[in-house]
Amino acid sequence: MIDKNIFIKTLIEKAKKLPIGHYLDIRSYKRNRTVLLIKEEDDLFLVIEDGFFREEFRVNLAKLKKLFKVILKKEFPRSHKIRIYTMGEYTETIAKSIKRKKL
């Protein structure tokens, strides 16, 4: 779990190190809202928001910080801790079927 104050900095560092085709599973403390960050190319990311809103974004690394500032306000307004799981290669069926215990 990562404190919300340093979340974006940590996310950018993890996104840079992420191999192409792999993804990060970002969840609220209660694990009831999800955002997936998939690295498609060197500087291109697919962000899938699945919580209060269901949207998809394709952004480069420079716009990732601004996008996650907006997503933090929409999806995690009262969370003080956010969970980041480093996952393997992204496959839509497998990623959607992962169930985590909800608090």
Side-chain angles (χ1 to χ4, degrees), residues 15-94:
K16 286 179 183 177
K17 295 176 184 175
L18 200 63
I20 294 174
H22 290 231
Y23 70 105
L24 297 174
D25 187 356
I26 302 154
R27 301 207 176 211
S28 64
Y29 174 75
K30 293 170 122 182
R31 298 183 197 111
N32 58 350
R33 290 181 302 280
T34 304
V35 177
L36 299 179
L37 176 70
I38 305 149
K39 188 168 189 175
E40 292 185 324
E41 295 175 15
D42 253 352
D43 194 33
L44 184 66
F45 296 90
L46 173 64
V47 179
I48 301 173
E49 181 181 356
D50 184 18
F52 292 128
F53 301 94
R54 294 177 190 262
E55 297 183 54
E56 290 187 11
F57 307 95
R58 277 195 165 71
V59 294
N60 61 12
L61 190 60
K63 294 183 182 179
L64 195 62
K65 183 177 181 179
K66 185 175 181 179
L67 175 65
F68 266 94
K69 281 185 180 182
V70 173
I71 288 176
L72 274 177
K73 289 179 184 174
K74 288 193 313 188
E75 293 297 332
F76 312 117
R78 295 181 310 216
S79 296
H80 296 288
K81 299 282 186 181
I82 298 171
R83 300 175 191 270
I84 297 181
Y85 301 100
T86 304
M87 308 300 281
E89 281 200 48
Y90 177 74
T91 307
E92 187 174 352
T93 55
I94 294 172

